[in-house]
Amino acid sequence: MEMTVPFQLANNTPLSLSPDFILPEFKRPTLSKVFPSDSIPTIDLNDNQIDEGQGSSPLVSKISQACEEYGFFQIINHGVPKELSQKVLAVVTEFFQLPHEERAQYLTKDHTKQVKVFNYYQKYEGLGKVIMWSETFSHPWHPIEDFTHFLPTNPPQYREVFAEYAKEIGVLMDRLLSLISQGLGLEKDCLKKKIGERASLYSQANYYPPCPDPELTMGMPAHNDIVALTVLLQSEGVTGLQVIKDEKWVPVDPVPNSFVVNLADQIQVLSNGRYKSVDHRAVTNKWLPRVSLAMFYAPNNDIVIGPIEDLIDEEHPSKYRNYSYKEFMEEFYRQEGKRRRVKEAFELQH
């Protein structure tokens, strides 16, 4: 096998098996213990055309069960054209393959920047910082308003392709939020109203170059998504995403022409803990680069989130106190570099 040129991070560091990237032994992914036996459900969104019923349709039941048991599911027949998904992954990949100097213009450690390239890391007692084997590019998106001024002009098709993709994902997000609401026995538009009409929408593209020894590194550390809902597109033919089920890591092998839907912290809180926002991570592999593109749907800072009144009763007392999303985000940044436990900070003790 010929030697490939190591990937240069935007900050001009080459990815290499140097101490900066090698995890302490107790934090390594132990890939030999990950069995593909059980993965997350795959749900066909064409399963019933009549999802007008009040939460009684087979599709609503399947989604509800997946949200309760896994917090993750893959969807097929979702209505987003396959060519468009392929195009958006192609332009995102091209972005990461630009010379590092060109990506460096977006490099920042300032969280308030809306467009940013950064690298995840973990801090370990006595060891300092270990950088993850990946690079991340984040920027806003919107289904109808023009957001293309935020986007890079190189690759040349990036703006046009991403805008078209955002339109389609906007329609899909609405449909998912409606199905998830019905699964909780609520009105279709309940979650969308609670998260707020002016949702905070941003995307995150992650690039995971091949790694000579995947047992020593991590593409992205174990974490929960802090938003309300995530729709993830991932490269086909290469597995990296893993989720926790029954205290074991299970791989999420990409189903052709699918999306991974990931319930995030805000929906766990709104559902009063009935629906799960679970730990997931990205591991590396020896042979192929992997790209994933997450589209996030979150409340804006001044929205107050807490368990929905209709889901609280004597048997199900409120598990969380109300908080503004700004407060939640402040807690999130306070825990930077650590294994974050953000929603836990808002739990009520009974």
Side-chain angles (χ1 to χ4, degrees):
M1 184 179 159
E2 64 199 86
M3 282 303 291
T4 46
V5 180
F7 181 75
Q8 290 293 106
L9 296 176
N11 66 10
N12 201 13
T13 310
L15 278 186
S16 66
L17 287 177
S18 66
D20 284 348
F21 298 96
I22 295 180
L23 295 162
E25 267 178 61
F26 66 99
K27 284 291 175 189
R28 290 180 189 168
T30 49
L31 299 172
S32 55
K33 290 204 171 78
V34 177
F35 298 109
S37 54
D38 183 25
S39 196
I40 63 174
T42 298
I43 296 174
D44 184 340
L45 288 195
N46 261 351
D47 253 5
N48 59 340
Q49 296 301 353
I50 38 169
D51 55 287
E52 303 309 314
Q54 267 308 302
S56 55
S57 77
L59 179 57
V60 168
S61 310
K62 275 185 192 154
I63 284 181
S64 184
Q65 193 181 354
C67 293
E68 282 186 23
E69 291 180 21
Y70 290 87
F72 264 85
F73 51 96
Q74 298 198 71
I75 51 171
I76 54 171
N77 292 322
H78 41 66
V80 179
K82 186 178 181 184
E83 296 67 43
L84 183 54
S85 296
Q86 288 170 330
K87 264 191 212 161
V88 80
L89 274 187
V91 293
V92 162
T93 305
E94 271 178 64
F95 174 82
F96 287 110
Q97 289 169 347
L98 293 172
H100 67 86
E101 300 86 351
E102 202 163 334
R103 302 193 315 275
Q105 62 183 306
Y106 304 106
L107 201 56
T108 180
K109 290 189 166 71
D110 175 359
H111 300 304
T112 61
K113 285 266 193 340
Q114 289 193 281
V115 181
K116 53 195 170 194
V117 164
F118 59 96
N119 304 99
Y120 280 99
Y121 64 87
Q122 292 288 79
K123 280 190 211 142
Y124 300 110
E125 288 288 308
L127 280 166
K129 220 159 87 163
V130 177
I131 304 163
M132 298 299 115
W133 196 273
S134 60
E135 186 156 275
T136 295
F137 180 42
S138 179
H139 59 67
W141 68 276
H142 200 280
I144 24 195
E145 291 168 19
D146 182 20
F147 64 97
T148 52
H149 55 283
F150 287 114
L151 307 185
T153 49
N154 195 18
Q157 297 83 24
Y158 196 101
R159 291 183 161 191
E160 187 190 337
V161 170
F162 215 100
E164 196 184 334
Y165 184 68
K167 269 195 192 79
E168 295 284 350
I169 294 295
V171 173
L172 180 59
M173 283 277 186
D174 281 355
R175 185 159 183 222
L176 288 166
L177 286 167
S178 157
L179 289 163
I180 294 165
S181 288
Q182 291 174 68
L184 289 164
L186 303 164
E187 294 290 325
K188 290 184 149 175
D189 58 355
C190 182
L191 281 175
K192 193 166 182 181
K193 278 186 175 152
K194 293 283 181 196
I195 297 161
E197 290 305 312
R198 302 285 309 156
S200 165
L201 306 173
Y202 58 104
S203 67
Q204 184 172 305
N206 307 299
Y207 186 70
Y208 304 98
C211 173
D213 191 347
E215 284 286 8
L216 301 179
T217 59
M218 192 69 83
M220 196 173 290
H223 66 286
N224 308 84
D225 284 8
I226 52 172
V227 295
L229 191 63
T230 306
V231 173
L232 180 89
L233 176 64
Q234 49 174 352
S235 306
E236 288 183 15
V238 51
T239 303
L241 175 63
Q242 299 182 344
V243 308
I244 276 277
K245 174 75 171 101
D246 302 326
E247 298 177 14
K248 286 199 210 42
W249 288 108
V250 298
V252 178
D253 295 325
V255 169
N257 195 19
S258 70
F259 290 103
V260 175
V261 179
N262 170 8
L263 283 201
D265 287 354
Q266 306 315 309
I267 286 185
Q268 175 163 330
V269 171
L270 288 160
S271 74
N272 201 25
R274 189 168 136 192
Y275 285 178
K276 303 285 182 278
S277 166
V278 302
D279 280 6
H280 50 288
R281 67 182 187 180
V283 298
T284 60
N285 82 91
K286 253 186 185 163
W287 314 114
L288 294 165
R290 176 174 170 265
V291 180
S292 69
L293 174 60
M295 301 291 267
F296 293 130
Y297 191 100
N300 67 42
N301 275 344
D302 42 355
I303 293 286
V304 173
I305 297 285
I308 293 169
E309 296 74 26
D310 291 356
L311 303 178
I312 302 169
D313 56 30
E314 275 182 26
E315 280 173 44
H316 306 93
S318 184
K319 289 187 177 165
Y320 302 92
R321 72 170 175 84
N322 289 4
Y323 53 81
S324 71
Y325 194 60
K326 180 173 194 269
E327 217 184 324
F328 193 89
M329 290 309 295
E330 283 164 359
E331 181 61 35
F332 173 77
Y333 289 126
R334 226 189 335 270
Q335 297 185 25
E336 183 151 25
K338 299 195 195 68
R339 172 64 191 93
R340 286 179 163 124
R341 298 279 178 214
V342 186
K343 60 185 172 301
E344 289 76 1
F346 300 93
E347 282 176 357
L348 293 170
Q349 305 306 318
H350 289 291

